[in-house]
Amino acid sequence: MMRRILTFCACATVFGVLAFGETLTGRLLDSTCYDQQKSAATCDPTASTSTFALLVSGKAYKLDDGGKIAEALKSRADRSSDPNGKVSTQIMAKVTGAKEGNMVKVEEVEVQ
């Protein structure tokens, strides 16, 4: 009986660790633009961007929580001079979340 309990606890611990978020760092993109153009060259996010992607080592991951990311973009220091204009090019972001295929369920975001 004790062996079963220990085995169950060990399995629960392993699966619990696997469920924690992964941290990805890369270039933040306008997901709609990237889907249409299949290139990151002109797909930097703007104040009106509502869907985001993160380009990491040549692979784009769609980010499921545009609200957190949009807020992080608005609070950037370089936005204070023109909050409605285009943000500076090639914005880097660090995203923590659960990766599911090419989608990341965002838990935390840090725009750099």
Side-chain angles (χ1 to χ4, degrees):
M1 179 70 171
M2 187 63 142
R3 180 178 250 175
R4 283 187 180 177
I5 292 172
L6 288 174
T7 302
F8 174 77
C9 289
C11 288
T13 301
V14 169
F15 289 116
V17 168
L18 293 175
F20 284 122
E22 187 173 339
T23 299
L24 300 169
T25 301
R27 181 177 169 197
L28 196 60
L29 302 173
D30 180 321
S31 180
T32 304
C33 172
Y34 186 80
D35 286 344
Q36 292 172 351
Q37 297 188 14
K38 301 296 181 208
S39 168
T42 59
C43 292
D44 295 314
T46 64
S48 62
T49 300
S50 60
T51 59
F52 298 90
L54 191 68
L55 188 64
V56 180
S57 300
K59 180 172 172 123
Y61 295 94
K62 291 187 179 191
L63 305 175
D64 79 336
D65 191 334
K68 289 179 185 175
I69 299 165
E71 285 302 313
L73 278 174
K74 286 178 186 175
S75 66
R76 286 185 62 199
D78 68 341
R79 303 280 295 154
S80 59
S81 60
D82 184 10
N84 295 320
K86 186 172 181 161
V87 290
S88 60
T89 59
Q90 296 201 7
I91 297 172
M92 301 303 287
K94 182 164 74 170
V95 175
T96 302
K99 191 166 66 166
E100 299 173 1
N102 71 335
M103 174 74 81
V104 176
K105 296 185 110 186
V106 178
E107 294 169 13
E108 282 185 42
V109 63
E110 180 184 323
V111 177
Q112 302 164 349

